[in-house]
Amino acid sequence: MKNRIKGLVKLREEKNRSGGLDKIKKRKQQGKMTARERIEYFFDPHTFVELQGYIQHRSSHFGLEKKKFWGDGVITGFGKVHDKTVYIFSQDFTILGGSLGEMHAKKIVNVIDLALKAGAPIVGINDSGGARIQEGISSLAGYGDIFYRNSRASGVIPQISVIMGPCAGGAVYSPGLTDFIFMVNHDAYMFITGPEVIKAVNKEEVTFEELGGAETHSVISGVCHFVGQDEKNTLDMVKELLGYIPCSNIEEPPVIETDDAFDRMEDQLNEIVPVNPNKPYNVKELIALVVDESKFFEVHRNYAQNLVVGFARLGGKTVGIIANNPDIYAGTLDVNASLKGARFIRFCDCFNIPLISFVDVPGFLPGRDQEKMGIIKHGAKMLYAYSEATVPKITVITRKAYGGAYIVMSSKHLGADIVFAWPTAEIAVMGPQGAINIIFKKDISTAEQPESLKERLITEYKEKFANPRLPASYGYIDDIIMPTETRPQLIKSLESLQNKVLTNPPKKHGNIPL
Ligand code: HXC
């Protein structure tokens, strides 16, 4: 027995040495954690249980039979975060560059399958040279098997990807299928083809950073939702996200007790909307004044900043917040904002997270570029996502709600349960200037004093439409509230909708305009 135990100790040591001490040393010199250290840092202490740690590849092409390592370049298992079970895989770059072959893929497939059966989130830490070239089709098959699992698990369990090194080739499509992507700034890259191939094919010179770094993907492409400053900061953010969301689609989000009074009135809210309707303000300040302890976990912070989305709590309960930000492009909705909003709304709806929308939107961003980029189909995604969502939907119109953008932003017409307006709300087909120029075109062009006529007409238009009384009289707004009352009104409304039951008509699935 003693010998067996000694044997196991030796075997474990061998396994934990990954691709060898020299390779681990190199990683350390690069300031990186090993795959195992990342897992240890991520989970509550002593909760990690490893699975299939002794798997090895069975390939013998191109000398691979001489390069066998325990675990085959990925560590898989489960542990606890905030006392809740989370499944994980963490690719080990010290073993064949973390490349994915048949058995490596099998381990990832196994852990996703388990997470799905157990109804627990899956977190994947990606650090890999992509498909293991020596294993050919078996590597591609492995990726295919993973993509299939990601698609099947979508909307059932939260899937989170963390990019902590290279993520190249088709490897980017598994993260691309998951709900959220985190990247480490200056230390993570995602691209379907690397700079060398691009140079050979397009004669184009591009750096790793420009092609697929965290900035490219968090600011321009929108592929990445969160950027961490280093590996630990990135993993801390993943844990923070997990604190807001349920483990699966049949669970409610966690409730966290708060000392922040439910009936807190916030005088500053009365001052937040400038008197001049053309003056911007930062909606994040408004959000901070309303939510529990001013904590707002923003998603996609650097992308399409004209729309702000993220998680917060109201009375201890998680909510998903969608808010136009007048500080950027006057809060208009464009292609990127629509994509960002629609995806966030759908995540919240999948996972039973009520939607709170703060509306101050002058309309869709007009222009040739937007039309060419397909604002029609992308704007339709927002309409679809809000309409399809069956979770509680509460709306607060703080200022402008014009045109199609009024309808899109969680109006009653798309099934919002409760719509509040501040006294500063303006709801109409378009803003006064544009409206006057269209409906009184002839009168203005023939007037002796067109400017003073315009001024008078604008005042009349504003009196009629630049306040919420008319829509309230039609029942499109449930109540006109004091800005100070926003928090208590939202908390009471959320509570009233706690047991909301609504289902969409039976169907295989809808056909969202992709
Ligand atoms: C097998 C690989 C590998 C791969 C790296 N390695 N990528 N082995 N298959 N795809 C091995 C290297 O041979 C080396 O082994 C070790 O990993 C470390 O690699 P280095 O190149 O020394 O490291 P570094 O300089 O840090 O460069 C990392 C890298 C580079 C940027 C990831 O290795 C690279 O460009 N790899 C190829 C990336 C790529 O194009 N992948 C796409 C494959 S196609 P030794 O033994 O020397 O330590 C694909 C399609 C999938 O993924 C489609 C699915 C639908």
Side-chain angles (χ1 to χ4, degrees):
M1 184 65 180
K2 257 191 185 162
N3 282 348
R4 296 268 171 139
I5 300 240
K6 264 191 193 165
L8 178 59
V9 170
K10 196 164 162 261
L11 189 64
R12 275 190 177 170
E13 280 171 2
E14 237 178 84
K15 170 171 70 90
N16 294 347
R17 274 201 297 273
S18 298
L21 294 178
D22 51 335
K23 289 216 159 73
I24 291 178
K25 197 172 155 199
K26 197 173 159 196
R27 306 275 298 165
K28 295 275 159 209
Q29 283 162 351
Q30 293 167 337
K32 287 176 173 260
M33 288 196 271
T34 63
R36 213 167 273 285
E37 284 168 347
R38 288 168 177 166
I39 288 179
E40 271 160 28
Y41 183 81
F42 182 67
F43 283 125
D44 299 345
H46 314 299
T47 58
F48 177 61
V49 175
E50 188 171 353
L51 301 169
Q52 300 186 325
Y54 297 102
I55 264 187
Q56 292 190 324
H57 73 74
R58 46 188 182 181
S59 173
S60 53
H61 302 298
F62 299 102
L64 214 51
E65 70 281 3
K66 293 190 207 101
K67 291 186 176 176
K68 287 203 178 218
F69 300 91
W70 299 122
D72 202 33
V74 63
I75 301 166
T76 61
F78 57 88
K80 297 243 175 180
V81 176
H82 313 306
D83 223 19
K84 286 190 310 188
T85 297
V86 175
Y87 285 78
I88 200 162
F89 68 85
S90 176
Q91 291 180 312
D92 187 342
F93 195 81
T94 67
I95 296 178
L96 300 165
S99 60
L100 182 139
E102 177 203 10
M103 301 307 276
H104 179 125
K106 242 187 188 158
K107 287 180 73 172
I108 296 178
V109 161
N110 176 63
V111 82
I112 300 177
D113 282 344
L114 274 177
L116 192 58
K117 281 188 274 188
I122 173 86
V123 172
I125 302 179
N126 294 259
D127 189 356
S128 160
R132 188 173 297 157
I133 298 161
Q134 301 93 319
E135 292 200 38
I137 177 63
S138 301
S139 308
L140 300 184
Y143 270 123
D145 291 342
I146 295 169
F147 302 158
Y148 181 69
R149 286 342 186 262
N150 289 138
S151 306
R152 305 246 316 156
S154 178
V156 184
I157 51 170
Q159 301 185 80
I160 296 169
S161 297
V162 190
I163 316 296
M164 292 204 153
C167 189
V172 292
Y173 282 113
S174 173
L177 284 163
T178 60
D179 298 302
F180 295 108
I181 297 182
F182 291 71
M183 290 179 83
V184 182
N185 208 10
H186 304 306
D187 235 344
Y189 308 99
M190 299 178 77
F191 36 69
I192 55 164
T193 311
E196 279 171 35
V197 179
I198 291 182
K199 193 173 171 188
V201 177
N202 301 354
K203 314 267 180 283
E204 210 182 306
E205 299 238 10
V206 60
T207 61
F208 275 70
E209 192 69 42
E210 190 194 346
L211 186 66
E215 185 163 332
T216 293
H217 286 312
S218 64
V219 179
I220 302 167
S221 75
V223 163
C224 164
H225 302 84
F226 301 95
V227 180
Q229 289 322 306
D230 56 32
E231 296 191 9
K232 286 187 175 169
N233 172 241
T234 308
L235 292 170
D236 288 342
M237 287 164 71
V238 178
K239 289 198 255 191
E240 198 175 342
L241 170 65
L242 286 167
Y244 284 97
I245 61 181
C247 292
S248 75
N249 65 340
I250 52 167
E251 256 190 32
E252 293 299 316
V255 178
I256 306 289
E257 278 193 26
T258 177
D259 291 332
D260 199 345
F262 289 15
D263 56 357
R264 173 168 57 81
M265 302 278 221
E266 202 55 70
D267 288 342
Q268 282 183 66
L269 287 171
N270 276 346
E271 309 298 325
I272 210 157
V273 172
V275 181
N276 178 352
N278 298 324
K279 253 188 125 184
Y281 60 93
N282 190 345
V283 78
K284 287 188 222 176
E285 287 169 20
L286 186 159
I287 295 168
L289 289 168
V290 172
V291 301
D292 290 1
E293 291 151 31
S294 297
K295 280 191 198 150
F296 179 50
F297 189 67
E298 192 176 352
V299 177
H300 258 154
R301 175 182 298 167
N302 304 323
Y303 178 70
Q305 295 175 335
N306 38 334
L307 189 78
V308 171
V309 303
F311 300 104
R313 294 191 185 89
L314 277 170
K317 293 183 185 128
T318 299
V319 290
I321 291 185
I322 303 104
N324 310 112
N325 193 4
D327 236 2
I328 312 282
Y329 302 148
T332 48
L333 285 174
D334 62 356
V335 165
N336 291 351
S338 304
L339 287 166
K340 171 177 170 174
R343 183 131 177 91
F344 181 73
I345 292 163
R346 294 194 102 207
F347 176 84
C348 291
D349 191 45
C350 286
F351 293 104
N352 313 315
I353 297 172
L355 298 169
I356 307 288
S357 305
F358 290 105
V359 182
D360 187 345
V361 61
F364 278 100
L365 181 70
R368 190 174 46 191
D369 288 350
Q370 287 293 308
E371 291 295 352
K372 285 188 178 171
M373 283 165 73
I375 186 66
I376 297 172
K377 67 179 174 191
H378 296 302
K381 289 185 171 89
M382 278 279 272
L383 281 167
Y384 193 107
Y386 265 128
S387 305
E388 172 194 50
T390 56
V391 288
K393 296 186 278 196
I394 306 171
T395 307
V396 182
I397 303 175
T398 59
R399 191 167 59 174
K400 297 171 193 164
Y402 283 131
Y406 152 70
I407 306 170
V408 172
M409 285 303 298
S410 200
S411 62
K412 275 259 172 200
H413 323 287
L414 301 190
D417 299 295
I418 298 172
V419 178
F420 295 118
W422 285 6
T424 39
E426 310 168 15
I427 302 159
V429 174
M430 61 174 76
Q433 190 82 38
I436 295 310
N437 283 337
I438 293 172
I439 52 181
F440 297 107
K441 193 173 167 184
K442 270 192 197 147
D443 306 75
I444 293 168
S445 65
T446 55
E448 277 182 20
Q449 289 181 310
E451 284 313 311
S452 68
L453 174 64
K454 257 188 183 177
E455 215 170 283
R456 183 171 59 78
L457 292 170
I458 285 175
T459 310
E460 269 175 34
Y461 186 91
K462 276 187 184 167
E463 267 166 27
K464 214 173 190 66
F465 288 149
N467 65 68
R469 287 192 300 271
L470 196 64
S473 76
Y474 294 164
Y476 299 144
I477 282 166
D478 292 292
D479 198 8
I480 306 169
I481 59 169
M482 298 292 176
T484 48
E485 299 165 349
T486 305
R487 174 177 165 83
Q489 292 296 85
L490 285 176
I491 293 178
K492 282 185 270 180
S493 305
L494 267 176
E495 214 177 307
S496 77
L497 292 165
Q498 193 156 271
N499 300 322
K500 177 182 175 184
V501 179
L502 177 69
T503 47
N504 286 319
K507 53 181 138 180
K508 190 170 173 192
H509 57 70
N511 188 13
I512 188 165
L514 295 172

